[in-house]
Amino acid sequence: MASSISPEKLGAKIVEWYSCIVSREVEQAEEYKQEIGQLVNQLERSDEKVLSYYSLVLFRHQLLTEDVQQKRVEPTSLQAVNVEDTIYDGLLAFLYYFMSGQYEFYEGRYQSALRLYKIAEQKIDHVHDQSEKAEFYFRLGESYFRIDQYTFAVSYLEQAIDLFEEQQFYLERILNCRLLLAAIKTELNLFDEAEKEYQSALADATPYPTTHALLLRALGLNRVRQRKLYEAEMYFAEALTIGDHSKSVEGLKTKANLANVRLRQNANNAEAIRLLQEAKAGATAIHLEECMVRCAITEALYINEGRDERLTSELQRLLEREFYTEYSELAEEIAEYYKQQSLLEKAFYYMKEALHYRTNMKMIGVEQQ
């Protein structure tokens, strides 16, 4: 017969597991996950608070290992939390709203993520681990970036960097922050400043394949923004050779990006068409809506030569999911396509759409405060 464990001892074990997750010690965190998963079944008496804590840390672990992003698991551990148990415990409440916000972010519901993050922020004083505070501010900055609220994004990212710099072994997370700061400069058309930030971060990123690949992808997006498509192609292609990037969710997006810039240069590029279908299939398999729409619009524009009805239906999918930033970006690309075809009325229509939803995002962002 298996020996029982008290809620207090199990809680202490979960604290150790949580510390490994926060410090991004993946292998040790995995060992704790297996051990604690067995201990939960040996709890000598039911304790809803400890079980809620376990469920939240389990979800935090799944985020660390990208199981949630890869759609390998459903948020059952979040659903198992008794929300009433979190109300009277500041740390549990913080974790509940922070984890719920991250799930919304991975589902592409950025406004919803921010609403949950802002509730979590009210509980931040209950978080005593500076690394976890830094991670929270990074996530807030990342979410504001996704809705074009750059002033707030920069503020939170700089707070995250300050906290990460106080800890040891967080260079990679600092690089993630710097990547977003450079991306903001790209979006503001401050290309020279963005280039300096990217190249400086890239020089420090070699020991970290995941972030190295993300920086190369970001440099590719920077070149797309400047319409330097050949240079963008080189960066996207290089990113796919780094580590396991080609097998990741971000790698699917990179494949879609690479196919897009190749087809924009040569619509008859057979390798680009094959890569586009690969990205589309991968995105469909994990229901990655944004990437699916990007692939469909690339196909409609450069392979099927601008089928209006397909463009309209795909853009509508973005609006239904409140992907306003992505809508604006793709509407701008469509406008550029029609401009090159000398179809100026269509180009003007889509450029108006792009500007409207970019402005709309800024208004929505203000409402989050």
Side-chain angles (χ1 to χ4, degrees):
M1 181 176 177
S3 60
S4 60
I5 185 171
S6 69
E8 293 77 17
K9 288 185 178 179
L10 179 59
K13 278 283 186 183
I14 296 172
V15 169
E16 294 173 10
W17 178 26
Y18 179 54
S19 296
C20 288
I21 294 169
V22 170
S23 59
R24 307 183 74 80
E25 298 171 24
V26 179
E27 290 185 9
Q28 193 168 355
E30 188 63 36
E31 291 176 6
Y32 272 113
K33 175 179 176 287
Q34 299 303 324
E35 179 186 0
I36 292 171
Q38 296 175 3
L39 292 176
V40 166
N41 297 322
Q42 300 170 21
L43 199 58
E44 66 182 20
R45 65 181 186 278
S46 180
D47 188 303
E48 291 299 321
K49 182 176 175 180
V50 169
L51 291 174
S52 290
Y53 188 33
Y54 167 73
S55 296
L56 288 167
V57 175
L58 176 59
F59 189 74
R60 183 77 165 80
H61 181 100
Q62 292 165 346
L63 288 170
L64 174 67
T65 56
E66 290 194 349
D67 286 342
V68 174
Q69 190 178 8
Q70 296 274 13
K71 313 292 184 182
R72 288 196 289 259
V73 296
E74 294 297 323
T76 50
S77 55
L78 267 184
Q79 295 163 1
V81 175
N82 186 336
V83 181
E84 293 299 319
D85 289 335
T86 72
I87 293 174
Y88 304 106
D89 187 298
L91 179 59
L92 279 184
F94 168 82
L95 283 173
Y96 177 76
Y97 289 109
F98 184 21
M99 297 304 101
S100 299
Q102 286 194 58
Y103 178 70
E104 291 296 290
F105 181 91
Y106 281 129
E107 289 294 300
R109 296 188 285 263
Y110 306 122
Q111 292 85 14
S112 178
L114 274 168
R115 284 191 287 271
L116 291 162
Y117 285 157
K118 297 304 286 185
I119 298 172
E121 190 174 23
Q122 297 171 16
K123 312 291 183 182
I124 195 71
D125 289 342
H126 296 279
V127 179
H128 301 300
D129 190 307
Q130 296 298 87
S131 302
E132 184 72 334
K133 282 186 179 180
E135 182 71 15
F136 176 67
Y137 290 139
F138 167 73
R139 296 293 181 177
L140 258 173
E142 183 180 35
S143 294
Y144 276 118
F145 168 72
R146 292 306 299 257
I147 65 165
D148 297 344
Q149 290 292 299
Y150 301 135
T151 300
F152 294 110
V154 168
S155 174
Y156 281 111
L157 290 169
E158 288 180 344
Q159 288 183 73
I161 289 173
D162 288 342
L163 289 171
F164 279 133
E165 286 180 339
E166 294 175 5
Q167 317 300 310
Q168 291 184 338
F169 314 118
Y170 280 95
L171 176 57
E172 185 170 18
R173 225 59 187 131
I174 293 170
L175 291 173
N176 295 147
C177 293
R178 289 167 61 189
L179 186 160
L180 287 177
L181 290 172
I184 289 169
K185 291 174 181 176
T186 292
E187 291 298 314
L188 296 174
N189 295 333
L190 301 172
F191 297 120
D192 290 341
E193 292 183 31
E195 186 70 15
K196 290 178 183 176
E197 187 72 59
Y198 278 130
Q199 295 299 339
S200 174
L202 196 63
D204 295 328
T206 304
Y208 311 104
T210 299
T211 299
H212 187 190
L214 290 177
L215 280 161
L216 289 168
R217 177 173 186 262
L219 276 161
L221 295 172
N222 171 281
R223 295 305 193 269
V224 171
R225 186 80 178 175
Q226 299 178 69
R227 296 193 173 90
K228 297 178 179 178
L229 300 184
Y230 180 73
E231 291 183 27
E233 178 184 349
M234 295 300 100
Y235 280 120
F236 291 143
E238 186 179 356
L240 289 170
T241 69
I242 304 297
D244 293 328
H245 184 68
S246 65
K247 302 175 184 176
S248 69
V249 171
E250 292 302 313
L252 278 176
K253 297 177 184 178
T254 305
K255 289 175 184 178
N257 296 141
L258 179 56
N260 174 274
V261 296
R262 283 177 172 171
L263 289 168
R264 287 165 76 170
Q265 295 173 89
N266 175 12
N268 296 316
N269 187 321
E271 173 59 22
I273 294 171
R274 183 202 65 76
L275 191 63
L276 181 66
Q277 296 308 315
E278 182 181 332
K280 184 179 178 181
T284 302
I286 63 170
H287 308 292
L288 194 61
E289 191 84 12
E290 173 197 344
C291 190
M292 291 163 61
V293 171
R294 286 184 182 276
C295 289
I297 287 180
T298 294
E299 187 175 57
L301 285 177
Y302 308 110
I303 299 176
N304 299 326
E305 300 180 347
R307 291 187 177 177
D308 287 352
E309 67 280 2
R310 183 70 184 278
L311 296 172
T312 300
S313 64
E314 292 299 333
L315 286 174
Q316 185 61 34
R317 286 172 65 183
L318 294 177
L319 292 184
E320 289 170 359
R321 292 291 302 274
E322 299 184 348
F323 287 0
Y324 300 122
T325 298
E326 291 75 12
Y327 183 101
S328 177
E329 290 174 359
L330 287 167
E332 187 174 341
E333 181 180 338
I334 295 168
E336 179 63 22
Y337 170 84
Y338 281 128
K339 179 183 175 183
Q340 292 179 5
Q341 301 295 316
S342 297
L343 298 171
L344 299 184
E345 186 174 342
K346 288 184 176 181
F348 181 64
Y349 169 78
Y350 282 106
M351 185 53 70
K352 280 200 306 180
E353 287 290 288
L355 291 172
H356 171 74
Y357 281 98
R358 186 168 290 273
T359 302
N360 191 47
M361 279 308 302
K362 295 183 185 302
M363 294 174 65
I364 289 173
V366 170
E367 292 170 1
Q368 302 302 321
Q369 306 313 308

Short mmCIF file of all heavy atoms in Angstrom, two decimals, residues 17 20 32 120 153 194 223 226 230 239 244 262 285 332 337 357 368:
data_model
loop_
_atom_site.label_atom_id
_atom_site.label_comp_id
_atom_site.label_asym_id
_atom_site.label_seq_id
_atom_site.Cartn_x
_atom_site.Cartn_y
_atom_site.Cartn_z
N TRP A 17 8.99 22.58 -7.04
CA TRP A 17 8.70 22.40 -8.48
C TRP A 17 8.51 23.76 -9.16
O TRP A 17 9.09 24.03 -10.21
CB TRP A 17 7.45 21.54 -8.59
CG TRP A 17 6.94 21.27 -9.98
CD1 TRP A 17 7.65 21.25 -11.14
CD2 TRP A 17 5.59 20.94 -10.32
NE1 TRP A 17 6.83 20.95 -12.20
CE2 TRP A 17 5.56 20.75 -11.72
CE3 TRP A 17 4.42 20.78 -9.58
CZ2 TRP A 17 4.38 20.42 -12.40
CZ3 TRP A 17 3.25 20.44 -10.26
CH2 TRP A 17 3.24 20.27 -11.65
N CYS A 20 11.69 25.62 -9.82
CA CYS A 20 12.41 25.12 -11.00
C CYS A 20 11.79 25.66 -12.29
O CYS A 20 12.50 25.98 -13.25
CB CYS A 20 12.37 23.59 -11.03
SG CYS A 20 13.42 22.82 -9.80
N TYR A 32 10.22 16.78 -11.08
CA TYR A 32 9.26 17.14 -10.03
C TYR A 32 7.83 16.87 -10.50
O TYR A 32 6.99 16.40 -9.72
CB TYR A 32 9.40 18.62 -9.65
CG TYR A 32 10.42 18.88 -8.57
CD1 TYR A 32 11.58 19.59 -8.84
CD2 TYR A 32 10.20 18.45 -7.26
CE1 TYR A 32 12.52 19.84 -7.85
CE2 TYR A 32 11.13 18.70 -6.25
CZ TYR A 32 12.29 19.40 -6.56
OH TYR A 32 13.21 19.64 -5.57
N ALA A 120 -4.35 40.21 -12.47
CA ALA A 120 -3.19 39.60 -11.81
C ALA A 120 -2.24 40.66 -11.27
O ALA A 120 -1.67 40.50 -10.18
CB ALA A 120 -2.45 38.69 -12.79
N ALA A 153 3.99 48.78 -23.82
CA ALA A 153 4.86 47.61 -24.05
C ALA A 153 6.29 47.91 -23.62
O ALA A 153 6.92 47.11 -22.91
CB ALA A 153 4.82 47.22 -25.52
N ALA A 194 16.39 49.92 -34.86
CA ALA A 194 16.00 48.51 -34.73
C ALA A 194 17.15 47.60 -35.14
O ALA A 194 17.43 46.59 -34.47
CB ALA A 194 14.78 48.22 -35.59
N ARG A 223 12.89 43.16 -42.50
CA ARG A 223 13.18 43.39 -43.92
C ARG A 223 11.89 43.41 -44.75
O ARG A 223 11.78 44.18 -45.71
CB ARG A 223 14.12 42.31 -44.44
CG ARG A 223 15.51 42.35 -43.81
CD ARG A 223 16.16 43.73 -43.97
NE ARG A 223 17.56 43.70 -43.64
CZ ARG A 223 18.07 43.94 -42.43
NH1 ARG A 223 17.25 44.20 -41.41
NH2 ARG A 223 19.37 43.88 -42.23
N GLN A 226 10.45 46.70 -44.67
CA GLN A 226 11.17 47.64 -45.55
C GLN A 226 11.05 47.23 -47.03
O GLN A 226 11.65 47.87 -47.88
CB GLN A 226 12.64 47.70 -45.15
CG GLN A 226 12.87 48.19 -43.73
CD GLN A 226 14.33 48.17 -43.36
OE1 GLN A 226 15.13 48.95 -43.89
NE2 GLN A 226 14.71 47.29 -42.44
N TYR A 230 14.34 39.94 -50.65
CA TYR A 230 15.43 38.96 -50.79
C TYR A 230 16.17 38.81 -49.46
O TYR A 230 16.48 37.69 -49.04
CB TYR A 230 16.39 39.36 -51.90
CG TYR A 230 17.53 38.38 -52.05
CD1 TYR A 230 17.32 37.12 -52.61
CD2 TYR A 230 18.81 38.70 -51.59
CE1 TYR A 230 18.36 36.21 -52.74
CE2 TYR A 230 19.85 37.79 -51.71
CZ TYR A 230 19.62 36.55 -52.27
OH TYR A 230 20.65 35.64 -52.38
N ALA A 239 16.85 31.04 -40.18
CA ALA A 239 16.17 30.74 -38.92
C ALA A 239 15.73 29.28 -38.87
O ALA A 239 15.82 28.61 -37.83
CB ALA A 239 14.96 31.65 -38.74
N ASP A 244 15.72 23.54 -33.11
CA ASP A 244 14.45 22.88 -33.44
C ASP A 244 13.40 23.86 -33.94
O ASP A 244 12.20 23.58 -33.91
CB ASP A 244 13.90 22.15 -32.19
CG ASP A 244 14.77 20.97 -31.78
OD1 ASP A 244 15.36 20.34 -32.67
OD2 ASP A 244 14.87 20.71 -30.56
N ARG A 262 9.06 34.44 -50.97
CA ARG A 262 9.52 33.81 -52.21
C ARG A 262 8.47 33.95 -53.31
O ARG A 262 8.80 34.24 -54.47
CB ARG A 262 9.85 32.34 -51.97
CG ARG A 262 11.17 32.13 -51.26
CD ARG A 262 11.42 30.65 -50.95
NE ARG A 262 12.79 30.44 -50.45
CZ ARG A 262 13.23 29.30 -49.95
NH1 ARG A 262 12.42 28.23 -49.87
NH2 ARG A 262 14.48 29.19 -49.53
N ALA A 285 -3.37 21.64 -38.45
CA ALA A 285 -3.33 20.52 -37.50
C ALA A 285 -3.45 20.98 -36.05
O ALA A 285 -4.01 20.27 -35.21
CB ALA A 285 -2.05 19.72 -37.69
N GLU A 332 -2.75 45.64 -45.64
CA GLU A 332 -1.70 46.47 -46.24
C GLU A 332 -0.96 45.69 -47.33
O GLU A 332 -0.62 46.25 -48.39
CB GLU A 332 -0.72 46.92 -45.15
CG GLU A 332 0.31 47.91 -45.64
CD GLU A 332 1.17 48.46 -44.51
OE1 GLU A 332 0.75 48.36 -43.33
OE2 GLU A 332 2.26 48.99 -44.81
N TYR A 337 -0.21 44.63 -53.24
CA TYR A 337 -0.37 43.73 -54.38
C TYR A 337 -1.19 44.40 -55.48
O TYR A 337 -0.80 44.40 -56.65
CB TYR A 337 -1.05 42.43 -53.92
CG TYR A 337 -1.46 41.53 -55.06
CD1 TYR A 337 -0.56 40.64 -55.64
CD2 TYR A 337 -2.76 41.58 -55.58
CE1 TYR A 337 -0.94 39.80 -56.69
CE2 TYR A 337 -3.15 40.75 -56.63
CZ TYR A 337 -2.23 39.87 -57.18
OH TYR A 337 -2.59 39.06 -58.23
N TYR A 357 -8.13 49.67 -39.07
CA TYR A 357 -7.97 48.69 -37.99
C TYR A 357 -6.71 48.91 -37.18
O TYR A 357 -6.65 48.51 -36.01
CB TYR A 357 -8.08 47.27 -38.53
CG TYR A 357 -9.52 46.90 -38.75
CD1 TYR A 357 -10.10 46.99 -40.02
CD2 TYR A 357 -10.33 46.55 -37.68
CE1 TYR A 357 -11.45 46.70 -40.21
CE2 TYR A 357 -11.67 46.26 -37.86
CZ TYR A 357 -12.22 46.34 -39.11
OH TYR A 357 -13.56 46.07 -39.28
N GLN A 368 -8.03 49.27 -22.40
CA GLN A 368 -7.55 48.25 -21.47
C GLN A 368 -7.04 48.85 -20.16
O GLN A 368 -6.90 48.15 -19.17
CB GLN A 368 -6.40 47.45 -22.11
CG GLN A 368 -6.74 46.77 -23.42
CD GLN A 368 -7.90 45.81 -23.28
OE1 GLN A 368 -8.00 45.09 -22.28
NE2 GLN A 368 -8.77 45.76 -24.27
#
